[in-house]
Amino acid sequence: MSEVKVPELAESISEGTISEWLKSVGDQVEQGENIVELETDKVNVEVISEVSGVLSEIKAEEGDTVEVGSVIAIVSEGESGSTSSEQKESDDSESKDSKDKEKQTEAPKESAAKSEDTSKEEASSNDRVQATPSARKLAREKGIDLNKVKTQAGDVVRPEDVEKASQPSKPAQQEKQSQPAAQKNENPSKPVVREKLSRRRQTIAKKLLEVSNNTAMLTTFNEVDMTNVMELRKRKKDKFQEDHNGTRLGFMSFFTKASVAALKKYPDVNAEIDGTDLLLKQYYDIGIAVSTEEGLVVPNVRDCDKKNFAEIEQDIHDLAVKANNKKLGLDDMMGGSFTITNGGVFGSLMSTPIINGTQAAILGMHSIVTRPIAIDKERMENRPMMYIALSYDHRIIDGKQAVGFLKTIKDLIENPEDLLLES
């Protein structure tokens, strides 16, 4: 027998939520096989079985919060077939012993005592029935005896089996329809659906509120003429993709390299406050905001000052794939020094992004829109323009530094060849 425990997650994470059981009670599991997925404040973590055997017991339901080190399941040695057979023999033996004891009982018991014994027997019997955690939870909520639930497929009771068993017969339904409703919706024309926030969404809400409450956040804006970088990308993208094993040349690598150059010029933007100290970071791990179905995550591209355009583009692509496949690790999320978010991919023209965690600033990119621009006093031209924004912590960064930082980004993007010298 082997206990499955919640593993050490990270220094700042002490608990997680059971997101999904990948195996059911009675299923065969192999050593190293994933059996349950935990949702933490930052990423989803899959927990493996340390031994081969049968998942004989599940101690935490989907949706339960579990602490690091707690036992959430038991894996027994053997195979699923033999386990089921042994379980059946054990149940038959217990049933026989129970009947023998009942025959030997001479004195009748009080009705209240009988009711209590019956409840205990039903609970014990329910524990012996093979059922998924979600089915057990639903059965408890509806007060249904799992022994009386007919399964649709196999021997394991599933939620749809419990749901079907909970539906009243047709006469009962007709009787129920003939009775007035106990409670009426106060405003049936305004229906609402109540859903519990996921752990990820709760964490996002908490962190954003903390940043809003604990920083003196301001935002400054500028606009960038994207003509030159778009022309350079158009000329070089095919050769770039050919030379770098299919890696595409996007705009993010230009803005990442421009950010590194600006951070070197304005080091306070690459800092954070720790008590009464200012930590000036001597590394350039740039967080790239990625939108997923469960919310925004910010994995980090490490050592951007030491990587070329192709390496940065490939890292961004790999992290985005991992994020959408829920495969990001805690190492991917920890320790960034500066963040870039691109609302332009969703059509945003302008925004005031919120600083990520304890960082000092965040750069916001937006949609590229063709607008008439004055070239000089006499000429107007239609140019592809992008508004950019820098939200910053005014406790660390003065307005002059913030404007200078954003102006450096603008100059480098409008003259992309300079990135080779400045970054």
Side-chain angles (χ1 to χ4, degrees):
M1 183 181 73
S2 175
E3 294 179 336
V4 179
K5 297 181 179 181
V6 179
E8 293 288 340
L9 300 170
E11 185 177 350
S12 60
I13 301 177
S14 60
E15 63 182 22
T17 299
I18 301 291
S19 173
E20 180 184 5
W21 280 102
L22 307 177
K23 294 287 186 178
S24 301
V25 171
D27 285 354
Q28 186 77 29
V29 297
E30 301 298 329
Q31 183 179 8
E33 186 176 8
N34 296 323
I35 60 174
V36 62
E37 185 178 78
L38 294 178
E39 182 181 2
T40 72
D41 294 346
K42 298 180 182 295
V43 296
N44 285 18
V45 178
E46 291 179 335
V47 181
I48 65 171
S49 174
E50 298 292 342
V51 299
S52 297
V54 177
L55 184 59
S56 58
E57 185 178 358
I58 288 177
K59 292 180 174 290
E61 310 284 349
E62 292 179 358
D64 288 353
T65 298
V66 290
E67 296 182 353
V68 170
S70 61
V71 179
I72 55 176
I74 301 294
V75 175
S76 301
E77 296 180 0
E79 299 181 357
S80 57
S82 61
T83 300
S84 300
S85 177
E86 292 170 3
Q87 181 70 38
K88 184 177 180 180
E89 290 177 4
S90 176
D91 291 347
D92 292 342
S93 177
E94 289 179 12
S95 177
K96 185 176 183 299
D97 291 342
S98 178
K99 290 180 181 180
D100 291 341
K101 290 180 181 178
E102 289 177 2
K103 290 180 180 179
Q104 294 172 1
T105 304
E106 296 179 358
K109 298 181 179 180
E110 298 286 341
S111 58
K114 286 183 179 180
S115 176
E116 182 180 355
D117 290 343
T118 302
S119 298
K120 289 181 179 179
E121 289 174 4
E122 287 180 356
S124 176
S125 182
N126 276 348
D127 289 340
R128 292 195 298 270
V129 174
Q130 290 190 5
T132 66
S134 53
R136 291 185 185 278
K137 183 178 180 181
L138 186 61
R140 286 198 300 270
E141 292 174 352
K142 294 180 176 292
I144 294 175
D145 184 357
L146 289 175
N147 289 282
K148 299 178 181 179
V149 176
K150 295 181 179 180
T151 60
Q152 296 179 7
D155 297 328
V156 179
V157 178
R158 304 188 183 280
E160 55 267 27
D161 301 324
V162 177
E163 195 66 49
K164 185 175 181 180
S166 68
Q167 295 176 357
S169 60
K170 290 184 179 180
Q173 287 180 332
Q174 293 173 357
E175 181 181 353
K176 183 177 181 180
Q177 291 173 357
S178 65
Q179 296 176 353
Q183 282 187 331
K184 292 184 178 180
N185 190 342
E186 294 181 359
N187 193 350
S189 65
K190 305 290 185 181
V192 297
V193 176
R194 183 182 295 273
E195 294 182 353
K196 185 177 180 180
L197 287 174
S198 66
R199 171 176 284 273
R200 186 73 46 78
R201 180 53 62 182
Q202 291 179 51
T203 301
I204 291 173
K206 179 182 177 182
K207 296 297 184 184
L208 292 179
L209 190 59
E210 285 178 357
V211 170
S212 180
N213 291 336
N214 297 328
T215 62
M217 191 171 69
L218 293 178
T219 305
T220 186
F221 301 92
N222 211 319
E223 61 178 353
V224 178
D225 185 344
M226 299 291 289
T227 300
N228 291 336
V229 75
M230 290 177 72
E231 289 181 352
L232 175 61
R233 179 175 176 269
K234 184 178 181 179
R235 292 197 313 268
K236 299 293 185 179
K237 65 178 183 178
D238 292 338
K239 185 68 164 57
F240 184 91
Q241 189 169 350
E242 180 182 342
D243 291 344
H244 298 288
N245 300 318
T247 301
R248 296 182 178 181
L249 179 61
F251 294 122
M252 286 303 299
S253 55
F254 287 94
F255 278 91
T256 300
K257 297 297 283 186
S259 295
V260 170
L263 289 170
K264 289 181 177 180
K265 189 174 181 180
Y266 297 93
D268 284 355
V269 183
N270 202 39
E272 67 176 72
I273 289 178
D274 183 17
T276 57
D277 296 331
L278 182 65
L279 303 182
L280 294 165
K281 300 171 184 176
Q282 302 297 306
Y283 57 90
Y284 303 91
D285 292 350
I286 308 300
I288 306 296
V290 178
S291 178
T292 70
E293 292 182 357
E294 296 181 346
L296 197 71
V297 293
V298 187
N300 298 299
V301 179
R302 306 293 181 185
D303 301 319
C304 289
D305 57 322
K306 302 174 183 177
K307 292 180 177 176
N308 59 32
F309 283 72
E311 291 170 326
I312 290 174
E313 289 288 357
Q314 187 61 53
D315 283 355
I316 292 173
H317 174 268
D318 293 344
L319 289 170
V321 170
K322 289 173 69 175
N324 284 289
N325 291 335
K326 301 180 182 180
K327 299 297 183 182
L328 284 174
L330 293 172
D331 290 342
D332 296 322
M333 308 287 290
M334 307 296 287
S337 61
F338 182 75
T339 296
I340 302 174
T341 181
N342 184 7
V345 297
F346 304 110
S348 172
L349 183 63
M350 187 178 291
S351 67
T352 56
I354 296 179
I355 298 169
N356 182 26
T358 58
Q359 295 174 12
I362 181 173
L363 176 68
M365 299 166 55
H366 300 92
S367 295
I368 301 173
V369 179
T370 301
R371 300 198 305 270
I373 300 297
I375 305 303
D376 52 38
K377 291 183 179 181
E378 300 172 350
R379 290 185 302 151
M380 295 282 291
E381 289 186 9
N382 288 333
R383 294 290 183 91
M385 303 298 294
M386 176 194 288
Y387 288 116
I388 55 175
L390 183 77
S391 292
Y392 61 98
D393 189 343
H394 206 355
R395 298 176 303 163
I396 303 174
I397 304 166
D398 293 330
K400 180 180 179 180
Q401 294 171 299
V403 172
F405 181 94
L406 212 54
K407 181 67 164 51
T408 300
I409 298 287
K410 170 184 170 67
D411 291 343
L412 290 172
I413 295 299
E414 290 183 345
N415 301 278
E417 291 86 356
D418 291 347
L419 284 174
L420 298 175
L421 303 174
E422 296 289 343
S423 63

